[in-house]
């Protein structure tokens, strides 16, 4: 009997899961549940903010002029070059969506995907030392639809991590007289024409939105607690420390400076969110740490429940391909897992290494950054995948690092550069 797998989400990670699962039809049967009316996940741009036409929270965090902050040559899935966007490397969000749709068409994935189907509940059923999963789904466009319950042998959670905004606790925020939005709701720089804007947070979203805004606004205050950005920056941008409090229209920073602002954009990240997981799943999210996950993927108590793409500061699409094959190897017996105790010990050791050796804060529990390259190799080795796999080709690490170098030097203009990669994936050139 094939192993029945439910994939939750039809974005990049879910499509990747479907591609590899359907590659072994004698071993796996797969259904992908996607609550929206098209595939693509966070790469589906919409002008909507708040809730969509079905009354559900808007999933996408794309803004209108967004371009990727990694070159497309690095972003591609193994075995399918990303050609969308022409000779440009840092491509528009709609180019990425076109690529994802071509990926689905290339591997004939649509027949496995159920659109407008929202997963309401995932519940483990254990009998005779064997766990199956009751997955309750409902038609997303019909509030009166009767939920349906299906039984699976495994569940892969691929619902993304850029949909539920994280809001900071700022004293006096409720008194602010200007406009307050999270970066999740940002769409057009023209909405802030001629204004003074404070952006809180200097991560990827904060820096990208600064670059998008600067030709349109009068003044930008970039508030953050990271090391000062040394890149060339717009002349109308000033770096300031964290926000201490807000007093009506005045924003007070921790060094005592004040700024009179028209708008405050909270670029403060996102929360992991699994509202469909029953309490019996035993999944705990503690301040951005998901437990108990072995290698950031497998539930140590229920290894047939896996999570794709929860790690961050990564080259995503190729990493998804490694996580998916790792989870599959646990399901089909290719890989013999350690005991639950040993997996929990390994997971805790990884966490302690981050806290004590790397000096990471607690909420960096799933950050990879430079660790991602060895991590991918480890997953594929454990899954007994051939070493020459395209996902761990060192050329991608080289281009990823070069992109970081370009961004560090010139945040405003680095996306005007292009990479050219040889057809055999053995060399590249920066144009």
């Amino acid at each position: 009997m094939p192993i029945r797998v439910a994939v939750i989400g039809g974005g990049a990670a879910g499509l990747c899961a479907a591609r590899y699962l359907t590659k072994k039809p004698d071993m796996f049967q797969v259904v992908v549940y996607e609550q929206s009316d098209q595939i693509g996940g966070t790469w589906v741009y919409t002008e909507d903010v708040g809730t969509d036409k079905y009354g559900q929270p808007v999933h996408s965090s794309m803004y209108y002029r967004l371009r990727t902050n990694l070159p497309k040559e690095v972003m591609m899935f193994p075995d399918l070059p990303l050609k969308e966007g022409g000779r440009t490397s840092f491509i528009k969000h709609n180019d990425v969506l076109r690529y994802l749709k071509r990926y689905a068409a290339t591997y004939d994935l649509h027949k496995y995907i159920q659109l407008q189907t929202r997963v309401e509940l995932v519940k483990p059923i254990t009998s005779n030392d064997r766990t199956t999963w009751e997955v309750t789904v409902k038609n997303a466009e019909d509030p009166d639809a009767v939920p349906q319950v299906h039984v699976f042998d495994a569940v892969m959670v691929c619902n993304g991590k850029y949909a539920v905004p994280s809001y900071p606790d700022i004293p006096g925020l409720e008194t602010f007289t200007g406009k307050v939005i999270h970066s999740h709701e940002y769409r057009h720089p023209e909405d802030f024409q001629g204004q003074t804007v404070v952006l809180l947070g200097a991560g990827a979203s904060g820096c990208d939105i600064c670059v998008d805004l600067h030709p349109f606004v009068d003044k930008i205050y970039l508030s953050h607690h990271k090391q000062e950005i040394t890149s060339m920056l717009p002349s109308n941008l000033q770096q300031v420390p964290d926000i201490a409090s807000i007093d009506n229209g005045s924003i007070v920073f921790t060094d005592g400076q004040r700024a009179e602002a028209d708008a405050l954009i909270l670029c403060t990240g996102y929360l992991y969110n699994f509202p469909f997981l029953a309490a019996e799943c035993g999944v705990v999210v503690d301040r951005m740490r998901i437990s108990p996950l072995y290698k950031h993927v497998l539930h140590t108590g229920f290894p047939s429940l896996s999570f794709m793409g929860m790690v961050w500061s990564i080259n995503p699409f190729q990493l998804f391909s490694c996580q998916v094959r790792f989870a599959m190897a646990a399901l089909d017996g290719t890989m013999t897992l350690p005991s639950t105790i040993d997996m929990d010990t390994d997971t805790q050791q990884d966490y302690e290494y981050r806290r004590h050796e790397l000096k990471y804060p607690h909420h960096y529990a799933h950050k990879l950054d430079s660790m991602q390259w060895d991590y991918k190799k480890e997953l594929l080795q454990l899954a007994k995948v051939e070493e020459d796999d395209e996902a761990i080709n060192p050329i991608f690490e080289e281009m990823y690092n070069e992109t970081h170098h370009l961004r560090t030097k010139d945040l405003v203009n680095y996306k005007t550069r292009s990479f050219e990669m040889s057809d055999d994936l053995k060399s590249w050139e920066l144009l």
Side-chain angles (χ1 to χ4, degrees), residues 296-349:
H296 308 277
V297 176
L298 299 179
H299 191 304
T300 62
F302 298 113
S304 55
L305 176 62
S306 57
F307 295 75
M308 305 302 152
M310 299 301 115
V311 290
W312 54 280
S313 192
I314 57 169
N315 179 26
F317 294 2
Q318 292 177 6
L319 188 139
F320 297 163
S321 77
C322 298
Q323 291 187 325
V324 167
R325 285 177 284 176
F326 173 70
M328 288 171 59
L331 292 175
D332 67 15
T334 300
M335 171 178 62
T336 301
L337 287 173
S339 68
T340 298
I341 292 175
D342 287 345
M343 287 192 287
D344 285 335
T345 299
D346 182 274
T347 301
Q348 186 62 23
Q349 287 174 345

Side-chain angles (χ1 to χ4, degrees), residues 284-302:
V284 176
V285 180
D286 172 25
R287 294 169 295 141
M288 299 303 291
R289 184 189 183 195
I290 309 168
S291 296
L293 292 190
Y294 178 58
K295 305 301 182 187
H296 308 277
V297 176
L298 299 179
H299 191 304
T300 62
F302 298 113

Side-chain angles (χ1 to χ4, degrees), residues 150-401:
H150 304 282
V151 178
F152 292 89
D153 300 304
V155 174
M156 290 187 176
V157 178
C158 305
N159 69 327
K161 59 181 183 296
Y162 299 116
V164 179
S166 175
Y167 290 95
D169 183 15
I170 302 175
L173 179 61
E174 71 282 356
T175 72
F176 187 60
T177 54
K179 182 177 183 178
V180 181
I181 64 169
H182 192 276
S183 58
H184 179 63
E185 303 166 293
Y186 175 79
R187 294 293 183 267
H188 298 280
E190 294 88 348
D191 295 340
F192 302 88
Q193 185 78 46
Q195 297 184 7
T196 295
V197 181
V198 174
L199 278 84
L200 177 60
S205 294
C207 290
D208 283 354
I209 291 175
C210 277
V211 173
D212 195 48
L213 276 174
H214 87 87
F216 296 87
V217 302
D218 180 51
K219 176 78 174 180
I220 299 172
Y221 291 93
L222 180 59
S223 169
H224 66 95
H225 53 255
K226 296 185 175 184
Q227 289 186 340
E228 184 170 345
I229 298 170
T230 57
S231 158
M232 293 176 59
L233 295 171
S235 59
N236 60 346
L237 185 150
Q238 179 181 341
Q239 295 183 71
V240 290
D242 268 340
I243 297 175
S245 62
I246 295 178
D247 180 14
N248 296 312
S250 183
I251 297 178
V252 184
F253 304 106
T254 54
D255 64 351
Q257 289 188 73
R258 302 172 75 95
E260 302 296 321
D262 302 294
L264 170 61
I265 303 178
L266 304 172
C267 304
T268 47
Y270 296 86
L271 300 173
Y272 296 115
N273 189 46
F274 314 110
F276 43 81
L277 294 182
E280 294 91 330
C281 294
V283 174
V284 176
V285 180
D286 172 25
R287 294 169 295 141
M288 299 303 291
R289 184 189 183 195
I290 309 168
S291 296
L293 292 190
Y294 178 58
K295 305 301 182 187
H296 308 277
V297 176
L298 299 179
H299 191 304
T300 62
F302 298 113
S304 55
L305 176 62
S306 57
F307 295 75
M308 305 302 152
M310 299 301 115
V311 290
W312 54 280
S313 192
I314 57 169
N315 179 26
F317 294 2
Q318 292 177 6
L319 188 139
F320 297 163
S321 77
C322 298
Q323 291 187 325
V324 167
R325 285 177 284 176
F326 173 70
M328 288 171 59
L331 292 175
D332 67 15
T334 300
M335 171 178 62
T336 301
L337 287 173
S339 68
T340 298
I341 292 175
D342 287 345
M343 287 192 287
D344 285 335
T345 299
D346 182 274
T347 301
Q348 186 62 23
Q349 287 174 345
D350 175 76
Y351 175 74
E352 296 295 337
Y353 171 75
R354 293 160 179 276
R355 295 288 281 136
H356 301 301
E357 297 297 324
L358 300 180
K359 306 301 182 185
Y360 278 178
H362 170 85
H363 64 278
Y364 279 23
H366 301 296
K367 180 180 180 180
L368 286 184
D369 201 14
S370 61
M371 293 183 286
Q372 66 181 297
W373 316 109
D374 287 338
Y375 172 73
K376 289 196 299 182
K377 292 176 184 177
E378 181 185 23
L379 293 186
L380 294 184
Q381 287 169 355
L382 290 170
K384 297 181 171 58
V385 174
E386 292 295 327
E387 273 297 313
D388 62 353
D389 188 271
E390 193 175 288
I392 54 175
N393 185 333
I395 193 175
F396 298 114
E397 180 181 358
E398 294 171 14
M399 289 191 290
Y400 183 97
N401 291 338

Side-chain angles (χ1 to χ4, degrees), residues 4-159:
R4 299 161 297 175
V5 183
V7 175
I8 302 176
L15 295 174
C16 183
R19 178 261 192 275
Y20 285 101
L21 288 164
T22 58
K23 194 176 180 181
K24 296 183 175 182
D26 295 335
M27 184 64 69
F28 298 101
Q29 287 182 351
V30 59
V31 178
V32 179
Y33 294 117
E34 168 53 50
Q35 67 179 354
S36 73
D37 56 8
Q38 63 175 302
I39 62 172
T42 195
W43 293 100
V44 177
Y45 174 79
T46 176
E47 290 281 333
D48 294 335
V49 297
T51 56
D52 63 18
K53 60 185 177 182
Y54 305 117
Q56 295 299 311
V58 169
H59 184 80
S60 179
S61 298
M62 295 291 112
Y63 58 87
Y64 183 73
R65 303 200 314 174
L66 181 142
R67 292 163 63 192
T68 60
N69 55 22
L70 288 175
K72 67 182 183 184
E73 292 80 7
V74 169
M75 289 184 63
M76 69 182 196
F77 284 113
D79 305 327
L80 189 69
L82 203 171
K83 299 296 187 182
E84 282 73 7
R87 293 182 61 83
T88 302
S89 285
F90 298 90
I91 59 178
K92 297 178 180 178
H93 54 76
N94 52 359
D95 291 321
V96 179
L97 181 60
R98 278 194 288 270
Y99 173 69
L100 292 175
K101 290 181 175 180
R102 180 163 63 88
Y103 183 78
T106 299
Y107 297 111
D108 197 20
L109 301 181
H110 285 285
K111 61 187 179 185
Y112 306 101
I113 302 170
Q114 295 187 16
L115 298 174
Q116 295 179 307
T117 306
R118 185 170 60 252
V119 175
E120 301 274 303
L121 186 67
V122 173
K123 182 179 179 180
I125 306 296
T126 301
S127 177
N128 298 323
D129 294 326
R130 180 174 180 267
T131 298
T132 56
W133 299 89
E134 283 188 356
V135 178
T136 304
V137 300
K138 185 178 178 181
N139 186 313
E141 61 177 341
D142 181 3
D144 299 320
V146 177
Q148 298 180 328
V149 180
H150 304 282
V151 178
F152 292 89
D153 300 304
V155 174
M156 290 187 176
V157 178
C158 305
N159 69 327

